[in-house]
Amino acid sequence: MIDEPEPRRQTPQELRGLVGSANIPTLLMVIYQVTRDERWLRPPYLPTRSKGLGDHDSGGLPEPVQEEIRAAGVRALLDLQDGRAPAIALPDPEQTRRMLEACVGEPVDRSYGEMFAREFRRRAGADDGPARPVRGGSDLRVLVIGAGVSGIIAAHRLERMGVSYLVVDKHDAPGGNWLDNRYPGAGVDTPSHLYSFSFAPRDWTQHFELRGELERYFADTFDRIGARPRTRFGTEVVRAEFDEGRQLWDVELRDSDGLRESISVNAIVSAVGILNRPFVPALPGLELFGGPSFHSSEWNDDLDVTGKRVAVIGSGASAMQIVPAIAPSVRGLTVFQRTPPWVAPFEKFQQPIDPGARYLLRTFPLYRTWYWLKLYWQFGDKVLDALRKDPDWPHPERAVNARNDGHREFFTQYIRDELAGREDLFGKVVPDYPPFGKRILLDNGWYRALCRPNVELVNEAVTSVVEGGVVSSSGAVHEADVLVWATGFTASRFVSSLEIIGRDGQSLREAWDDDDARAYLGVTVPGFPNLFLLGGPNSFPGSGSFMHFMEVQMRYVGRLLTCMFDLDIRAIDVRKDVFDEYAELVDRTSATTVWTHPGTDTFFRNSRGRLVFVSPFRNVEYWTRAQSAGLEDYEIVAAP
């Protein structure tokens, strides 16, 4: 996916200009790996610990030290450009951990060594798992439901395994949610290089890409992995039932014209996602409104809100992007907020990546890999460690531990600074629950938009709709020409778009008692052989890279399928005792996280209050468990 290499060798002077925009901690790791000179991992070159979620480009080092690192970086990059092998070709787990510790300026536990070493190999192009076709794989057929992020990952893995597969998707192109969410300002709040497939690096132009470029990325990747000829767009799965006698899934498909077709497959990989079923509250008078009224994920490209009065109901992730994008052009904007979000600084919002940094990321896999590892730590387990409850912490009403309380102070001061004297807003926008208790959002101009004279923040729920606007809980009528329901999705009802019937005629919805979904590693459920879920219950990272999490899951599924095919096993079903033990561990661990704090109400939990959406584990804990799990956790399903 990276563009073709530069047409000519860069001179030392040209490289010196390019490294002027390098991320110093990342460049330092390249220097050490190329030279193995220990002085680069000692003062005065060690970066300081970064604050917040920024790139920490300077490493917190004095300018003369940065200049020395840049000069050494030019020499190291010249060696790589000339084809000289680095002194450390592939760092082992302890070397990787030690180097990352130096890079991020804080301790990295030894338990992370193996995970980061393997990710280094994969992203540096040295290893992506077994490439050999599995025995008998071409004689068996796997159905992949969905061509979004998870579906692309599944197709890539199956393609490498030589397994016959079919992808079906209701859309007319790959991309999943990014095809639906077309509202103004839609984009990622994860750094672009972190929101990337390991097998498809991209020459990103912005630190946080917008929807249009992401859509192109998914389409390009889909074509390059060879999935398009094996895909049927405009097609939905209506029903799937396991035939134990034939050990096959019988699947009913429906195309965009309503025509139905039945196929049989050996296994199903569900990549249907979860944030794709819009939730709009059934309020009195909803049908009375005279103007456009729609969920944020159903924004019409032809809609022009210039000069109109717009009401945005909700203050979550979608509203956070929509409000700043339309505030300058609308006549009036009323934002209805029930619970204020915690918001972190977004220092590189819509900023282009400097051409020099783009060149380094595009041309040198070592630089690109260390930059990814640094981002992974910054947005992953570094954050998650602040989300565990400390039973001895004396102020559980405001935070879950001392570090979490530090985040509260930092974010609160940031809000005060952004509001610039608007004390009337301050009391409305500062949350009364611990930071990260709900999804943390990144500030893309939210507070400054709220300060605009044409924007009003109403700290009340909308209770009904009238012809010319909405009514809030105080009884006040708020006039509007357009209603945007930024009210989220039915996130606790996994795989709700189709009916799945397993052994003994039980439906998956019955097994989960509607919204109480559970799955071993978020992937498999007893009674549903050869059904594998990507992005199943409790398998979304609480913080970090969703793309990486889904790749970990699909590599696990790929190992299971390889064992099955190699051993000529037709069907497997996760053992009930394994499933129950894992479910108990999930609940026990969930109780230690901020997401079960009594002061929060989040889509991470179901109607019973149980955490079902995010993984309660640190990323390394989940990775280690998925890496070590295998066929021994399953029983072989024999035909009757």
Side-chain angles (χ1 to χ4, degrees):
M1 297 295 299
I2 291 287
D3 291 347
E4 291 299 313
E6 297 297 315
R8 62 177 179 80
R9 181 184 184 278
Q10 300 293 301
T11 68
Q13 292 76 18
E14 288 169 328
L15 273 178
R16 181 63 188 83
L18 293 169
V19 300
S21 58
N23 177 269
I24 291 296
T26 302
L27 186 61
L28 190 63
M29 295 305 101
V30 175
I31 295 168
Y32 176 73
Q33 190 166 346
V34 168
T35 66
R36 204 170 192 165
D37 187 340
E38 288 291 326
R39 70 189 178 102
W40 296 111
L41 297 189
R42 294 195 294 262
Y45 306 110
L46 286 179
T48 62
R49 180 178 181 272
S50 63
K51 296 180 180 179
L53 298 174
D55 264 9
H56 201 41
D57 284 326
S58 70
L61 299 173
E63 185 59 33
V65 176
Q66 292 184 54
E67 279 300 303
E68 191 176 349
I69 292 172
R70 292 188 187 102
V74 170
R75 295 191 294 271
L77 295 174
L78 283 170
D79 283 349
L80 293 174
Q81 184 177 255
D82 290 340
R84 296 189 181 94
I88 304 174
L90 293 170
D92 63 30
E94 177 54 24
Q95 286 173 323
T96 307
R97 183 207 64 80
R98 180 169 170 254
M99 292 173 71
L100 184 62
E101 189 171 83
C103 181
V104 300
E106 61 183 312
V108 175
D109 189 80
R110 292 182 184 278
S111 61
Y112 290 90
E114 184 68 26
M115 180 181 77
F116 283 130
R118 293 206 184 195
E119 287 305 317
F120 182 94
R121 292 178 61 89
R122 183 170 290 108
R123 292 175 185 276
D127 177 33
D128 191 29
R132 65 173 179 84
V134 298
R135 186 176 71 84
S138 61
D139 298 327
L140 302 173
R141 196 180 196 197
V142 176
L143 175 67
V144 178
I145 309 174
V149 169
S150 301
I152 294 171
I153 289 169
H156 170 259
R157 179 60 48 177
L158 294 171
E159 191 78 33
R160 286 180 58 85
M161 293 169 58
V163 172
S164 177
Y165 67 92
L166 171 69
V167 180
V168 298
D169 193 285
K170 64 181 181 180
H171 299 94
D172 59 3
N177 288 350
W178 291 107
L179 297 177
D180 297 327
N181 291 278
R182 310 181 70 86
Y183 55 77
V188 290
D189 56 6
T190 301
S192 301
H193 285 89
L194 195 56
Y195 198 81
S196 301
F197 303 112
S198 67
F199 49 87
R202 185 78 159 184
D203 180 20
W204 297 108
T205 61
Q206 293 195 101
H207 289 279
F208 294 82
E209 281 292 356
L210 297 177
R211 185 202 59 78
E213 181 58 28
L214 293 169
E215 189 175 329
R216 286 186 287 274
Y217 174 56
F218 295 134
D220 290 346
T221 302
F222 203 71
D223 286 335
R224 295 205 185 192
I225 65 175
R228 197 172 291 268
R230 301 175 184 264
T231 302
R232 292 173 58 174
F233 289 113
T235 303
E236 291 187 86
V237 175
V238 178
R239 190 176 191 274
E241 181 170 1
F242 186 71
D243 185 324
E244 194 161 352
R246 295 161 54 230
Q247 296 185 307
L248 294 173
W249 281 96
D250 293 323
V251 182
E252 184 178 356
L253 307 178
R254 180 178 60 210
D255 67 16
S256 56
D257 294 324
L259 297 177
R260 300 195 178 218
E261 176 189 352
S262 296
I263 64 172
S264 296
V265 296
N266 300 92
I268 296 175
V269 176
S270 170
V272 297
I274 186 63
L275 299 180
N276 53 19
R277 295 290 164 178
F279 170 74
V280 176
L283 299 180
L286 194 62
E287 73 287 352
L288 299 176
F289 186 71
S293 176
F294 52 88
H295 189 269
S296 58
S297 66
E298 298 167 342
W299 192 292
N300 191 320
D301 289 343
D302 297 329
L303 177 67
D304 184 4
V305 296
T306 303
K308 298 184 182 299
R309 299 169 301 177
V310 179
V312 174
I313 299 92
S315 59
S318 299
M320 181 75 58
Q321 295 184 335
I322 293 170
V323 168
I326 67 173
S329 61
V330 300
R331 173 184 167 190
L333 178 56
T334 307
V335 181
F336 293 88
Q337 170 186 268
R338 290 193 306 171
T339 307
W342 280 110
V343 180
F346 201 0
E347 65 179 31
K348 292 191 174 180
F349 169 62
Q350 290 193 355
Q351 286 191 17
I353 300 174
D354 186 271
R358 279 183 64 186
Y359 176 85
L360 299 178
L361 288 162
R362 180 173 65 243
T363 309
F364 298 101
L366 282 189
Y367 184 90
R368 185 172 64 247
T369 299
W370 277 111
Y371 185 63
W372 185 90
L373 291 175
K374 178 181 179 297
L375 288 175
Y376 189 95
W377 177 262
Q378 195 81 0
F379 280 77
D381 283 8
K382 173 184 177 177
V383 173
L384 292 175
D385 280 341
L387 312 188
R388 298 292 177 94
K389 296 176 183 175
D390 177 359
D392 298 322
W393 172 245
H395 304 291
E397 74 287 353
R398 73 184 193 211
V400 294
N401 56 46
R403 188 169 173 181
N404 190 245
D405 202 42
H407 283 298
R408 166 182 278 279
E409 293 179 3
F410 175 80
F411 293 149
T412 301
Q413 185 58 51
Y414 175 73
I415 295 172
R416 192 179 297 278
D417 293 342
E418 285 296 299
L419 292 180
R422 286 289 304 270
E423 289 299 322
D424 60 309
L425 285 174
F426 184 77
K428 291 183 177 181
V429 300
V430 176
D432 60 2
Y433 57 87
F436 300 94
K438 300 183 70 169
R439 181 183 176 187
I440 199 80
L441 302 178
L442 298 185
D443 183 18
N444 56 357
W446 173 253
Y447 295 117
R448 295 180 187 181
L450 295 181
C451 290
R452 295 180 62 92
N454 65 331
V455 177
E456 179 187 7
L457 178 66
V458 178
N459 250 13
E460 298 178 14
V462 171
T463 55
S464 62
V465 180
V466 294
E467 182 179 0
V470 297
V471 181
S472 61
S473 56
S474 66
V477 177
H478 305 266
E479 296 181 343
D481 304 311
V482 179
L483 301 184
V484 181
W485 298 90
T487 44
F489 302 86
T490 53
S492 62
R493 301 188 76 246
F494 288 81
V495 201
S496 61
S497 59
L498 64 146
E499 183 180 21
I500 299 180
I501 308 297
R503 302 168 78 176
D504 303 321
Q506 184 184 42
S507 73
L508 188 58
R509 190 60 45 207
E510 291 170 340
W512 283 344
D513 196 12
D514 190 36
D515 72 343
D516 199 24
R518 297 178 183 270
Y520 177 55
L521 294 174
V523 174
T524 55
V525 182
F528 298 85
N530 293 8
L531 172 66
F532 306 102
L533 313 175
L534 299 184
N538 296 113
S539 67
F540 288 79
S543 185
S545 172
F546 169 72
M547 313 282 264
H548 175 251
F549 237 65
M550 294 305 99
E551 288 194 35
V552 170
Q553 288 193 341
M554 189 58 207
R555 290 199 294 269
Y556 168 65
V557 172
R559 290 197 305 274
L560 291 177
L561 291 174
T562 298
C563 290
M564 289 173 58
F565 297 156
D566 284 351
L567 298 174
D568 198 24
I569 297 171
R570 307 295 293 185
I572 59 172
D573 196 2
V574 66
R575 287 166 35 200
K576 185 67 165 54
D577 61 316
V578 170
F579 172 86
D580 289 342
E581 181 182 356
Y582 184 78
E584 193 276 331
L585 177 64
V586 166
D587 289 347
R588 189 171 70 248
T589 309
S590 296
T592 70
T593 70
V594 68
W595 302 305
T596 56
H597 189 278
T600 61
D601 179 17
T602 171
F603 72 85
F604 291 176
R605 302 202 299 259
N606 65 6
S607 61
R608 306 148 215 239
R610 192 175 69 79
L611 190 69
V612 295
F613 187 77
V614 295
S615 165
F617 308 112
R618 294 179 177 90
N619 294 332
V620 69
E621 292 171 337
Y622 181 88
W623 182 91
T624 301
R625 185 171 289 271
Q627 187 68 31
S628 61
L631 204 58
E632 65 277 3
D633 295 330
Y634 293 78
E635 63 179 40
I636 298 173
V637 179

